[in-house]
Structures are given as C-alpha cells and as structure tokens.
Coordinates of all heavy atoms in Angstrom, one line a residue:
M1 N 0.8 -1.2 0.0 CA 0.0 0.0 0.0 C 0.9 1.2 0.0 O 2.0 1.2 0.4 CB -0.9 0.0 1.2 CG -2.2 0.8 1.0 SD -3.4 0.5 2.3 CE -2.7 1.5 3.6
T2 N 0.3 2.3 -0.4 CA 1.0 3.6 -0.4 C 0.1 4.7 -0.1 O -1.1 4.5 0.1 CB 1.7 3.9 -1.8 OG1 2.4 5.1 -1.8 CG2 0.6 4.0 -2.9
T3 N 0.7 5.9 0.0 CA -0.1 7.1 0.3 C -0.1 7.9 -1.0 O 0.9 7.9 -1.8 CB 0.6 7.9 1.4 OG1 0.7 7.0 2.5 CG2 -0.3 9.1 1.9
V4 N -1.2 8.6 -1.3 CA -1.4 9.2 -2.6 C -1.8 10.6 -2.6 O -2.7 11.0 -1.8 CB -2.6 8.4 -3.3 CG1 -2.8 8.9 -4.7 CG2 -2.3 6.9 -3.3
V5 N -1.2 11.5 -3.4 CA -1.6 12.9 -3.5 C -2.7 13.0 -4.6 O -2.5 12.4 -5.7 CB -0.4 13.8 -3.9 CG1 -0.9 15.3 -3.9 CG2 0.8 13.6 -3.0
T6 N -3.7 13.7 -4.4 CA -4.9 13.8 -5.3 C -5.2 15.2 -5.8 O -4.4 16.2 -5.4 CB -6.1 13.2 -4.7 OG1 -6.5 13.9 -3.6 CG2 -5.8 11.7 -4.2
E7 N -6.2 15.3 -6.5 CA -6.7 16.6 -7.2 C -6.6 17.9 -6.4 O -6.2 18.9 -6.9 CB -8.2 16.4 -7.6 CG -8.9 17.5 -8.2 CD -8.4 17.9 -9.6 OE1 -8.0 17.0 -10.3 OE2 -8.4 19.1 -9.9
N8 N -6.9 17.8 -5.1 CA -6.9 19.1 -4.4 C -5.5 19.8 -4.3 O -5.4 21.0 -4.1 CB -7.4 18.9 -2.9 CG -8.9 18.7 -2.9 OD1 -9.6 18.6 -3.9 ND2 -9.5 18.7 -1.7
C9 N -4.5 19.0 -4.5 CA -3.1 19.6 -4.4 C -2.9 20.5 -5.6 O -2.2 21.5 -5.6 CB -2.1 18.5 -4.4 SG -0.4 19.1 -4.3
K10 N -3.6 20.2 -6.8 CA -3.4 20.9 -8.0 C -3.7 22.4 -7.8 O -4.7 22.7 -7.3 CB -4.3 20.3 -9.1 CG -3.7 20.4 -10.5 CD -4.6 19.7 -11.5 CE -4.0 18.4 -11.9 NZ -4.8 17.8 -13.0
D11 N -2.8 23.2 -8.3 CA -2.9 24.7 -8.2 C -2.7 25.2 -6.8 O -2.9 26.4 -6.5 CB -4.2 25.2 -8.8 CG -4.3 24.8 -10.3 OD1 -3.3 24.8 -10.9 OD2 -5.4 24.6 -10.7
C12 N -2.4 24.3 -5.8 CA -2.2 24.8 -4.4 C -0.7 24.6 -4.1 O 0.1 25.5 -3.9 CB -3.0 23.9 -3.4 SG -4.7 24.3 -3.4
R13 N -0.3 23.3 -4.1 CA 1.1 22.9 -3.8 C 1.7 23.6 -2.6 O 2.7 24.3 -2.6 CB 2.0 23.2 -5.1 CG 3.1 22.2 -5.2 CD 4.0 22.5 -6.4 NE 4.7 23.7 -6.3 CZ 5.5 24.3 -7.2 NH1 5.7 23.6 -8.3 NH2 6.1 25.4 -7.0
F14 N 0.9 23.4 -1.5 CA 1.3 24.1 -0.2 C 2.7 23.5 0.3 O 3.4 24.3 1.0 CB 0.3 23.9 0.8 CG -0.9 24.8 0.7 CD1 -2.1 24.4 0.2 CD2 -0.8 26.1 1.1 CE1 -3.2 25.2 0.0 CE2 -1.9 27.0 0.9 CZ -3.1 26.6 0.4
T15 N 3.0 22.3 0.0 CA 4.3 21.6 0.4 C 4.5 21.4 1.9 O 5.6 21.0 2.3 CB 5.5 22.3 -0.2 OG1 5.8 23.5 0.4 CG2 5.4 22.4 -1.7
D16 N 3.5 21.6 2.7 CA 3.6 21.3 4.2 C 3.9 19.8 4.4 O 4.5 19.5 5.4 CB 2.3 21.6 4.9 CG 1.9 23.1 4.8 OD1 2.1 23.7 3.7 OD2 1.3 23.6 5.8
C17 N 3.5 19.0 3.4 CA 3.7 17.6 3.5 C 5.1 17.1 3.4 O 5.5 16.1 4.0 CB 2.8 16.9 2.4 SG 3.2 17.6 0.8
V18 N 5.9 17.9 2.7 CA 7.3 17.5 2.3 C 8.2 17.2 3.5 O 8.9 16.2 3.6 CB 7.9 18.5 1.4 CG1 9.3 18.2 1.1 CG2 7.1 18.5 0.1
T19 N 8.2 18.2 4.5 CA 9.2 18.1 5.5 C 8.9 17.0 6.6 O 9.8 16.7 7.3 CB 9.5 19.5 6.2 OG1 8.2 20.0 6.5 CG2 10.2 20.4 5.2
V20 N 7.7 16.6 6.6 CA 7.4 15.5 7.6 C 7.7 14.1 7.1 O 7.6 13.1 7.8 CB 5.9 15.6 8.1 CG1 5.6 16.9 8.8 CG2 4.9 15.3 7.0
C21 N 8.0 14.0 5.8 CA 8.2 12.7 5.2 C 9.6 12.2 5.6 O 10.6 12.8 5.3 CB 8.1 12.8 3.7 SG 8.4 11.2 2.9
P22 N 9.6 11.0 6.3 CA 10.9 10.5 6.8 C 11.8 9.9 5.7 O 12.9 9.6 5.9 CB 10.5 9.5 7.8 CG 9.2 9.1 7.4 CD 8.5 10.2 6.7
V23 N 11.2 9.7 4.5 CA 11.9 8.9 3.4 C 12.1 9.7 2.1 O 12.5 9.2 1.1 CB 11.3 7.6 3.2 CG1 11.5 6.6 4.4 CG2 9.8 7.7 2.8
E24 N 11.7 11.0 2.1 CA 11.8 11.8 1.0 C 11.1 11.2 -0.3 O 11.7 11.1 -1.3 CB 13.3 12.2 0.7 CG 13.9 12.8 1.9 CD 15.4 13.3 1.7 OE1 16.0 12.8 0.7 OE2 15.9 14.0 2.5
A25 N 9.8 10.9 -0.1 CA 9.1 10.2 -1.1 C 8.4 11.2 -2.1 O 7.8 10.8 -3.1 CB 8.0 9.3 -0.5
F26 N 8.4 12.5 -1.9 CA 7.7 13.5 -2.7 C 8.5 13.9 -3.9 O 9.7 14.1 -3.8 CB 7.3 14.7 -1.9 CG 6.1 14.4 -1.0 CD1 6.4 14.0 0.3 CD2 4.8 14.6 -1.4 CE1 5.3 13.7 1.2 CE2 3.8 14.3 -0.5 CZ 4.0 13.9 0.8
H27 N 7.7 14.1 -5.0 CA 8.3 14.6 -6.2 C 7.5 15.8 -6.7 O 6.3 15.9 -6.5 CB 8.3 13.5 -7.3 CG 9.3 12.5 -7.0 ND1 10.5 12.3 -7.7 CD2 9.3 11.5 -6.0 CE1 11.2 11.3 -7.1 NE2 10.5 10.8 -6.1
Q28 N 8.3 16.8 -7.3 CA 7.7 18.1 -7.6 C 7.3 18.3 -9.1 O 8.1 18.3 -10.0 CB 8.7 19.2 -7.2 CG 8.2 20.6 -7.5 CD 9.3 21.6 -7.2 OE1 10.3 21.3 -6.6 NE2 9.2 22.8 -7.7
G29 N 6.0 18.5 -9.3 CA 5.5 18.9 -10.6 C 5.2 20.4 -10.6 O 5.3 21.0 -9.6
D30 N 4.8 20.9 -11.8 CA 4.6 22.3 -11.9 C 3.4 22.8 -11.0 O 3.5 23.9 -10.5 CB 4.3 22.7 -13.4 CG 5.5 22.6 -14.3 OD1 6.6 22.6 -13.7 OD2 5.3 22.5 -15.5
D31 N 2.4 22.0 -11.0 CA 1.2 22.5 -10.3 C 0.8 21.6 -9.0 O -0.1 22.0 -8.3 CB 0.0 22.6 -11.2 CG -0.3 21.3 -11.9 OD1 0.4 20.3 -11.6 OD2 -1.3 21.2 -12.6
M32 N 1.6 20.5 -8.8 CA 1.3 19.7 -7.6 C 2.4 18.7 -7.3 O 3.4 18.6 -8.1 CB 0.0 18.9 -7.8 CG 0.0 17.9 -8.9 SD -1.6 16.9 -9.0 CE -1.5 15.8 -7.6
L33 N 2.3 18.0 -6.2 CA 3.3 17.0 -5.9 C 2.8 15.6 -6.1 O 1.6 15.4 -6.2 CB 3.8 17.2 -4.4 CG 4.4 18.5 -4.0 CD1 5.0 18.4 -2.6 CD2 5.4 19.0 -5.0
Y34 N 3.7 14.7 -6.1 CA 3.3 13.3 -6.2 C 4.2 12.4 -5.3 O 5.3 12.8 -5.0 CB 3.6 12.8 -7.7 CG 2.9 13.6 -8.7 CD1 3.5 14.7 -9.3 CD2 1.6 13.3 -9.1 CE1 2.9 15.5 -10.2 CE2 0.9 14.1 -10.1 CZ 1.6 15.2 -10.6 OH 0.9 16.0 -11.5
I35 N 3.7 11.3 -4.9 CA 4.4 10.4 -4.0 C 4.9 9.2 -4.7 O 4.1 8.5 -5.4 CB 3.5 10.0 -2.8 CG1 3.2 11.2 -1.9 CG2 4.2 8.9 -2.0 CD1 2.2 10.9 -0.8
N36 N 6.2 8.9 -4.5 CA 6.7 7.6 -5.1 C 6.4 6.4 -4.3 O 6.8 6.3 -3.1 CB 8.3 7.8 -5.2 CG 8.9 6.6 -5.9 OD1 8.3 5.5 -6.0 ND2 10.1 6.8 -6.3
P37 N 5.5 5.5 -4.8 CA 5.0 4.4 -4.0 C 6.1 3.4 -3.6 O 6.0 2.6 -2.7 CB 4.0 3.8 -4.9 CG 4.4 4.2 -6.3 CD 5.0 5.5 -6.2
D38 N 7.2 3.4 -4.4 CA 8.3 2.5 -4.1 C 9.2 3.0 -2.9 O 9.9 2.2 -2.3 CB 9.3 2.4 -5.3 CG 8.6 1.8 -6.5 OD1 7.6 1.0 -6.3 OD2 8.9 2.1 -7.6
V39 N 9.0 4.3 -2.6 CA 9.8 4.9 -1.5 C 8.9 5.0 -0.2 O 9.4 4.9 0.9 CB 10.4 6.2 -1.9 CG1 11.1 6.9 -0.8 CG2 11.4 6.0 -3.1
C40 N 7.6 5.4 -0.4 CA 6.7 5.6 0.7 C 6.6 4.4 1.6 O 6.5 3.3 1.2 CB 5.3 5.9 0.1 SG 4.0 6.1 1.3
I41 N 6.7 4.7 2.9 CA 6.7 3.6 3.9 C 5.3 3.6 4.6 O 5.1 2.9 5.6 CB 7.8 3.7 5.0 CG1 7.8 5.1 5.7 CG2 9.1 3.4 4.3 CD1 8.6 5.2 6.9
D42 N 4.4 4.4 4.1 CA 3.0 4.4 4.5 C 2.9 4.8 6.0 O 2.1 4.2 6.7 CB 2.5 2.9 4.3 CG 1.1 2.9 3.8 OD1 0.6 4.0 3.4 OD2 0.5 1.8 3.9
C43 N 3.6 5.8 6.4 CA 3.6 6.2 7.8 C 2.4 7.1 8.1 O 2.1 7.4 9.2 CB 4.9 6.8 8.2 SG 5.1 8.5 7.4
S44 N 1.9 7.7 7.0 CA 0.7 8.6 7.1 C 1.0 10.0 7.7 O 0.1 10.8 7.9 CB -0.5 8.0 7.8 OG -0.8 6.8 7.3
A45 N 2.2 10.3 8.0 CA 2.6 11.5 8.6 C 2.2 12.7 7.8 O 1.8 13.8 8.4 CB 4.1 11.6 8.9
C46 N 2.2 12.6 6.5 CA 1.9 13.7 5.6 C 0.4 14.1 5.6 O 0.0 15.2 5.3 CB 2.4 13.5 4.2 SG 1.8 12.0 3.5
I47 N -0.5 13.1 5.8 CA -1.9 13.2 5.6 C -2.5 14.4 6.4 O -3.1 15.3 5.8 CB -2.7 11.9 5.9 CG1 -2.3 10.9 4.8 CG2 -4.2 12.1 5.9 CD1 -2.8 9.5 5.1
P48 N -2.3 14.5 7.7 CA -2.9 15.7 8.4 C -2.2 17.0 8.2 O -2.7 18.1 8.5 CB -2.7 15.3 9.9 CG -1.6 14.3 9.9 CD -1.6 13.6 8.6
E49 N -1.0 17.0 7.5 CA -0.3 18.3 7.3 C -0.9 19.1 6.1 O -0.7 20.3 6.0 CB 1.2 18.0 6.9 CG 1.9 17.3 8.0 CD 2.0 18.2 9.3 OE1 2.2 19.4 9.2 OE2 1.8 17.7 10.4
C50 N -1.6 18.4 5.2 CA -2.1 19.1 4.0 C -3.4 20.0 4.3 O -4.4 19.4 4.8 CB -2.5 18.1 2.9 SG -3.1 18.9 1.5
P51 N -3.3 21.3 4.1 CA -4.4 22.2 4.4 C -5.6 22.0 3.5 O -6.7 22.5 3.9 CB -3.8 23.6 4.3 CG -2.5 23.4 3.6 CD -2.1 22.0 3.6
V52 N -5.4 21.3 2.4 CA -6.6 21.1 1.5 C -7.0 19.6 1.4 O -7.7 19.2 0.4 CB -6.3 21.7 0.1 CG1 -6.4 23.2 0.2 CG2 -5.0 21.2 -0.5
E53 N -6.6 18.8 2.3 CA -7.0 17.4 2.4 C -6.8 16.6 1.1 O -7.6 15.9 0.6 CB -8.4 17.3 2.9 CG -8.6 18.0 4.2 CD -10.1 18.1 4.6 OE1 -11.0 17.5 3.9 OE2 -10.4 18.8 5.7
A54 N -5.6 16.8 0.5 CA -5.3 16.2 -0.8 C -4.7 14.8 -0.7 O -4.6 14.1 -1.7 CB -4.3 17.1 -1.6
I55 N -4.2 14.4 0.5 CA -3.5 13.1 0.6 C -4.3 12.1 1.3 O -4.9 12.3 2.4 CB -2.2 13.4 1.4 CG1 -1.4 14.6 0.9 CG2 -1.3 12.1 1.3 CD1 -0.2 14.9 1.7
F56 N -4.3 10.9 0.7 CA -5.1 9.7 1.3 C -4.2 8.5 1.3 O -3.3 8.3 0.4 CB -6.3 9.4 0.4 CG -7.3 10.5 0.4 CD1 -7.2 11.6 -0.6 CD2 -8.3 10.6 1.3 CE1 -8.2 12.6 -0.6 CE2 -9.3 11.6 1.2 CZ -9.2 12.6 0.3
E57 N -4.5 7.6 2.2 CA -4.0 6.2 2.1 C -4.7 5.6 0.9 O -5.9 5.9 0.6 CB -4.5 5.4 3.3 CG -3.7 5.7 4.6 CD -2.3 5.3 4.5 OE1 -1.9 4.6 3.6 OE2 -1.5 5.8 5.3
E58 N -4.0 4.8 0.1 CA -4.5 4.2 -1.1 C -5.9 3.5 -0.8 O -6.8 3.6 -1.5 CB -3.5 3.1 -1.5 CG -3.9 2.5 -2.8 CD -2.8 1.5 -3.3 OE1 -1.7 1.4 -2.6 OE2 -3.0 0.8 -4.3
D59 N -6.0 2.8 0.4 CA -7.2 2.1 0.7 C -8.3 3.0 1.1 O -9.5 2.6 1.2 CB -6.9 1.1 1.8 CG -6.2 -0.1 1.3 OD1 -6.0 -0.2 0.1 OD2 -5.8 -1.0 2.2
D60 N -8.0 4.3 1.4 CA -9.1 5.2 1.9 C -9.5 6.2 0.8 O -10.2 7.2 1.1 CB -8.6 6.0 3.1 CG -8.4 5.2 4.3 OD1 -9.0 4.1 4.4 OD2 -7.6 5.6 5.2
L61 N -9.0 6.0 -0.4 CA -9.3 7.0 -1.5 C -10.8 7.0 -1.7 O -11.5 6.0 -1.8 CB -8.7 6.5 -2.8 CG -7.2 6.9 -3.0 CD1 -6.6 6.1 -4.2 CD2 -7.0 8.4 -3.2
P62 N -11.3 8.3 -1.8 CA -12.8 8.4 -2.1 C -13.1 7.8 -3.5 O -12.2 7.7 -4.3 CB -13.0 9.9 -2.1 CG -11.9 10.5 -1.3 CD -10.7 9.6 -1.6
D63 N -14.3 7.4 -3.7 CA -14.8 6.8 -4.9 C -14.4 7.7 -6.1 O -14.6 8.9 -6.0 CB -16.3 6.5 -4.9 CG -16.6 5.3 -4.1 OD1 -15.7 4.6 -3.7 OD2 -17.8 5.2 -3.8
G64 N -13.9 7.2 -7.2 CA -13.6 8.0 -8.3 C -12.2 8.5 -8.4 O -11.8 9.1 -9.3
M65 N -11.5 8.3 -7.3 CA -10.1 8.9 -7.2 C -9.0 7.8 -7.4 O -7.9 8.0 -7.2 CB -9.9 9.6 -5.9 CG -10.6 10.9 -5.8 SD -9.7 11.9 -4.5 CE -10.9 13.2 -4.4
E66 N -9.5 6.6 -7.8 CA -8.5 5.4 -7.9 C -7.4 5.7 -8.9 O -6.3 5.2 -8.7 CB -9.3 4.1 -8.2 CG -10.3 3.7 -7.2 CD -11.6 4.4 -7.3 OE1 -11.8 5.2 -8.2 OE2 -12.5 4.1 -6.4
D67 N -7.7 6.5 -9.9 CA -6.7 6.7 -10.9 C -5.4 7.4 -10.4 O -4.3 7.4 -11.0 CB -7.2 7.7 -12.0 CG -8.2 7.0 -12.9 OD1 -8.4 5.7 -12.8 OD2 -8.8 7.6 -13.8
W68 N -5.6 8.1 -9.2 CA -4.4 8.8 -8.7 C -3.3 7.9 -8.2 O -2.2 8.3 -8.1 CB -4.9 9.7 -7.5 CG -5.6 10.9 -8.1 CD1 -7.0 11.2 -8.1 CD2 -5.0 12.1 -8.7 NE1 -7.2 12.4 -8.7 CE2 -6.1 13.0 -9.1 CE3 -3.7 12.5 -8.9 CZ2 -5.8 14.2 -9.7 CZ3 -3.4 13.7 -9.6 CH2 -4.5 14.5 -9.9
V69 N -3.6 6.6 -8.0 CA -2.6 5.7 -7.6 C -1.5 5.6 -8.8 O -0.3 5.8 -8.6 CB -3.1 4.3 -7.3 CG1 -2.0 3.3 -7.0 CG2 -4.1 4.4 -6.1
D70 N -2.0 5.3 -10.0 CA -1.1 5.2 -11.1 C -0.5 6.6 -11.5 O 0.7 6.6 -11.9 CB -1.9 4.7 -12.4 CG -2.2 3.2 -12.2 OD1 -1.6 2.6 -11.4 OD2 -3.1 2.7 -13.0
I71 N -1.3 7.6 -11.3 CA -0.7 8.9 -11.7 C 0.5 9.3 -10.8 O 1.5 9.7 -11.2 CB -1.8 10.0 -11.6 CG1 -2.9 9.8 -12.6 CG2 -1.2 11.4 -11.7 CD1 -4.2 10.7 -12.4
N72 N 0.3 9.0 -9.5 CA 1.5 9.2 -8.6 C 2.7 8.4 -8.9 O 3.8 8.9 -8.9 CB 1.1 9.0 -7.1 CG 0.4 10.2 -6.5 OD1 0.9 10.9 -5.6 ND2 -0.9 10.5 -6.9
E73 N 2.4 7.1 -9.2 CA 3.5 6.2 -9.6 C 4.2 6.7 -10.8 O 5.5 6.8 -10.8 CB 2.9 4.8 -9.8 CG 4.1 3.8 -10.1 CD 3.6 2.4 -10.1 OE1 2.4 2.1 -10.1 OE2 4.5 1.5 -10.0
N74 N 3.5 7.1 -11.9 CA 4.1 7.5 -13.1 C 4.8 8.8 -13.0 O 5.9 9.0 -13.5 CB 3.0 7.5 -14.2 CG 2.5 6.2 -14.5 OD1 3.1 5.1 -14.3 ND2 1.2 6.1 -15.0
M75 N 4.1 9.8 -12.5 CA 4.7 11.1 -12.4 C 5.9 11.2 -11.5 O 6.9 11.9 -11.8 CB 3.6 12.1 -11.9 CG 2.5 12.3 -12.9 SD 3.0 12.8 -14.6 CE 3.3 14.5 -14.4
S76 N 5.9 10.4 -10.4 CA 7.0 10.5 -9.5 C 8.3 9.9 -10.1 O 9.4 10.2 -9.7 CB 6.7 9.7 -8.2 OG 6.5 8.4 -8.4
Q77 N 8.1 9.0 -11.1 CA 9.3 8.5 -11.8 C 10.0 9.6 -12.7 O 11.2 9.5 -12.9 CB 8.9 7.3 -12.7 CG 8.2 6.2 -12.1 CD 9.0 5.5 -10.9 OE1 10.2 5.4 -11.0 NE2 8.3 5.2 -9.9
E78 N 9.2 10.5 -13.2 CA 9.6 11.5 -14.2 C 10.2 12.7 -13.5 O 10.9 13.5 -14.1 CB 8.5 11.9 -15.1 CG 8.1 10.8 -16.1 CD 6.8 11.2 -16.8 OE1 6.5 12.4 -16.9 OE2 6.1 10.3 -17.3
L79 N 9.7 13.1 -12.4 CA 9.9 14.4 -11.8 C 11.0 14.4 -10.7 O 11.2 13.3 -10.1 CB 8.6 14.9 -11.3 CG 7.5 15.2 -12.3 CD1 6.1 15.4 -11.7 CD2 7.9 16.5 -13.1
P80 N 11.6 15.5 -10.5 CA 12.6 15.6 -9.4 C 12.0 15.5 -8.0 O 10.9 15.8 -7.8 CB 13.3 17.0 -9.6 CG 12.2 17.8 -10.3 CD 11.4 16.8 -11.1
Q81 N 12.8 14.9 -7.1 CA 12.5 14.9 -5.7 C 12.4 16.3 -5.1 O 13.1 17.2 -5.6 CB 13.6 14.1 -5.0 CG 13.2 13.0 -4.2 CD 14.4 12.3 -3.6 OE1 15.5 12.7 -3.8 NE2 14.1 11.3 -2.8
I82 N 11.5 16.4 -4.1 CA 11.5 17.7 -3.4 C 11.6 17.3 -1.9 O 11.0 16.4 -1.4 CB 10.2 18.5 -3.6 CG1 10.0 19.6 -2.7 CG2 8.9 17.6 -3.6 CD1 8.9 20.6 -3.0
T83 N 12.5 18.0 -1.2 CA 12.8 17.7 0.2 C 12.6 18.9 1.1 O 12.7 18.8 2.3 CB 14.2 17.2 0.4 OG1 15.1 18.1 -0.1 CG2 14.4 15.8 -0.3
E84 N 12.3 20.1 0.5 CA 12.2 21.3 1.3 C 10.9 22.0 0.9 O 10.4 21.9 -0.2 CB 13.4 22.2 1.1 CG 14.6 21.7 1.9 CD 15.8 22.5 1.8 OE1 15.6 23.7 1.4 OE2 16.9 22.0 2.1
T85 N 10.3 22.7 1.9 CA 9.1 23.5 1.7 C 9.3 24.6 0.6 O 10.3 25.3 0.7 CB 8.6 24.1 3.0 OG1 8.6 23.0 3.9 CG2 7.2 24.6 2.9
L86 N 8.3 24.8 -0.2 CA 8.3 26.0 -1.1 C 7.2 26.9 -0.8 O 6.3 26.5 -0.1 CB 8.1 25.5 -2.6 CG 9.0 24.5 -3.2 CD1 8.5 24.1 -4.6 CD2 10.4 25.1 -3.4
E87 N 7.2 28.1 -1.3 CA 6.0 29.0 -1.2 C 4.9 28.3 -2.0 O 5.1 27.8 -3.0 CB 6.3 30.3 -1.9 CG 7.2 31.3 -1.1 CD 6.6 31.7 0.2 OE1 5.4 32.1 0.2 OE2 7.3 31.6 1.3
P88 N 3.7 28.4 -1.4 CA 2.5 27.9 -2.2 C 2.4 28.6 -3.5 O 2.9 29.7 -3.7 CB 1.3 28.2 -1.3 CG 1.9 28.4 0.1 CD 3.3 28.9 -0.1
L89 N 1.7 28.0 -4.5 CA 1.5 28.6 -5.8 C 0.6 29.8 -5.6 O -0.2 29.9 -4.6 CB 0.8 27.6 -6.7 CG 1.7 26.4 -7.1 CD1 0.8 25.5 -8.0 CD2 2.9 26.8 -7.9
E90 N 0.7 30.8 -6.5 CA -0.1 32.0 -6.4 C -1.6 31.7 -6.4 O -2.4 32.5 -5.9 CB 0.2 32.9 -7.6 CG 1.5 33.8 -7.4 CD 1.8 34.7 -8.5 OE1 0.9 34.9 -9.3 OE2 2.9 35.1 -8.6
T91 N -2.0 30.6 -7.0 CA -3.4 30.2 -7.1 C -3.9 29.5 -5.9 O -5.1 29.1 -5.8 CB -3.6 29.3 -8.3 OG1 -2.5 28.4 -8.4 CG2 -3.5 30.1 -9.6
A92 N -3.0 29.2 -4.9 CA -3.3 28.3 -3.8 C -4.5 28.8 -2.9 O -5.4 28.1 -2.7 CB -2.1 28.1 -2.9
D93 N -4.5 30.1 -2.6 CA -5.6 30.6 -1.7 C -7.0 30.6 -2.4 O -8.0 30.2 -1.8 CB -5.3 32.0 -1.2 CG -4.2 32.0 -0.2 OD1 -4.0 30.9 0.5 OD2 -3.5 33.0 0.0
E94 N -6.9 30.9 -3.7 CA -8.2 30.9 -4.5 C -8.7 29.5 -4.6 O -9.9 29.3 -4.4 CB -7.8 31.4 -5.9 CG -9.0 31.8 -6.7 CD -8.6 32.1 -8.2 OE1 -7.5 32.8 -8.3 OE2 -9.3 31.7 -9.1
K95 N -7.8 28.5 -4.8 CA -8.3 27.1 -4.9 C -8.8 26.7 -3.6 O -9.9 26.0 -3.5 CB -7.1 26.3 -5.4 CG -7.4 24.8 -5.3 CD -7.9 24.2 -6.6 CE -8.2 22.7 -6.5 NZ -7.3 21.8 -7.2
R96 N -8.1 27.0 -2.5 CA -8.5 26.6 -1.2 C -9.9 27.1 -0.9 O -10.8 26.4 -0.3 CB -7.5 27.1 -0.2 CG -7.7 26.5 1.2 CD -6.6 27.0 2.1 NE -6.8 26.5 3.4 CZ -5.9 26.6 4.4 NH1 -4.8 27.3 4.2 NH2 -6.1 26.2 5.6
E97 N -10.1 28.4 -1.3 CA -11.4 29.0 -1.0 C -12.5 28.2 -1.8 O -13.6 28.0 -1.3 CB -11.4 30.4 -1.5 CG -11.9 31.4 -0.4 CD -11.5 32.8 -0.8 OE1 -12.3 33.4 -1.6 OE2 -10.5 33.3 -0.3
K98 N -12.2 27.9 -3.1 CA -13.2 27.2 -3.9 C -13.5 25.9 -3.3 O -14.7 25.4 -3.4 CB -12.6 26.9 -5.3 CG -13.1 27.8 -6.4 CD -12.6 27.3 -7.7 CE -12.2 28.5 -8.6 NZ -11.3 28.1 -9.7
L99 N -12.6 25.2 -2.7 CA -12.8 23.9 -2.0 C -13.5 24.1 -0.7 O -14.0 23.1 -0.1 CB -11.4 23.2 -1.8 CG -10.6 22.8 -3.1 CD1 -9.2 22.4 -2.7 CD2 -11.4 21.7 -3.8
G100 N -13.6 25.3 -0.2 CA -14.2 25.5 1.1 C -13.4 24.9 2.3 O -14.0 24.5 3.3
L101 N -12.1 24.9 2.1 CA -11.3 24.4 3.2 C -10.4 25.4 3.8 O -10.2 26.5 3.3 CB -10.4 23.3 2.6 CG -11.2 22.0 2.1 CD1 -10.3 21.1 1.2 CD2 -11.7 21.2 3.3
Ligands
F3S201 FE1 -0.1 19.4 -2.0 FE2 -1.2 19.4 0.3 FE3 1.3 18.7 0.0 S1 -1.5 21.0 -1.3 S2 2.0 19.9 -1.7 S3 -0.4 17.7 -0.8 S4 0.5 19.9 1.7

C-alpha cells in the first residue's frame, strides 16, 4: 500500500507535507506534488499536514479517485524529488477557497 496525492493539491502545492516525510518520497510537478510508491513507507505523517486534504491512504481513496494511484506512480518516476518546503502557488488561496477548506 502507499499514500497518494490527489486533485486538491493541483494549483495549491502548499508543500507542508514534504518536511514531515521521513523517506523523501515526494516529487515536484509544476502544479502539484506526487508520492513515489516505491519509497513511501506508509507512515501517514503527511496526511494531516495538508491544508486542503489532498493526501489519502490508497485504501481510503474516495470513490472515483482510484486513478491517482497510477498517476502518482508514473509522475514520481519522471519528476525531481522535493525535500524542502516551497512558497505555495499564487493560485493556492483561491483554490482553497473554492474547495471550502
Ligand atoms: Fe499538495 Fe497538500 Fe502537500 S496541497 S504539496 S499535498 S501539503
């Protein structure tokens, strides 16, 4: 099993999740992050850190979000690792408001 970043991260990329990861499993895309399932140890430490509730255990993914498992696996292979917090994207507050979170 792994932990998965989903849609709510897109256009936010708050990166609060990154520094609590003990194994540096996060990878950085232009508009969101992804978790490498081969590295993730499923500790769940990142889940409560995300202000927009974007991270789930694979087994707890809401219906319709199953595709994010493969997306995280594929994108994390292509993109560079991220190990430090960044400024959120400029669109982050607007997206968060839209989400009502
Ligand atoms: Fe994205 Fe949430 Fe991390 S918005 S970068 S999953 S803290």
Side-chain angles (χ1 to χ4, degrees):
M1 206 168 78
T2 182
T3 308
V4 181
V5 185
T6 66
E7 173 73 30
N8 284 8
C9 182
K10 208 176 258 188
D11 300 327
C12 289
R13 213 181 65 185
F14 280 104
T15 72
D16 301 37
C17 53
V18 171
T19 48
V20 299
C21 181
V23 291
E24 302 184 346
F26 284 91
H27 290 253
Q28 181 185 342
D30 288 343
D31 59 358
M32 66 177 283
L33 302 189
Y34 304 90
I35 293 174
N36 182 342
D38 298 331
V39 173
C40 176
I41 56 168
D42 220 13
C43 70
S44 305
C46 55
I47 293 174
E49 296 301 315
C50 179
V52 288
E53 300 172 9
I55 311 176
F56 296 89
E57 287 294 344
E58 186 179 352
D59 283 355
D60 293 339
L61 276 168
D63 286 346
M65 287 203 189
E66 297 81 3
D67 287 356
W68 285 101
V69 176
D70 285 346
I71 295 170
N72 276 252
E73 181 168 15
N74 296 334
M75 296 304 284
S76 64
Q77 306 300 323
E78 290 173 21
L79 294 165
Q81 232 176 0
I82 171 171
T83 57
E84 286 181 15
T85 308
L86 300 173
E87 284 297 312
L89 295 175
E90 278 179 20
T91 46
D93 286 338
E94 193 186 324
K95 169 95 183 247
R96 187 177 182 173
E97 230 165 84
K98 256 191 222 163
L99 294 168
L101 295 166

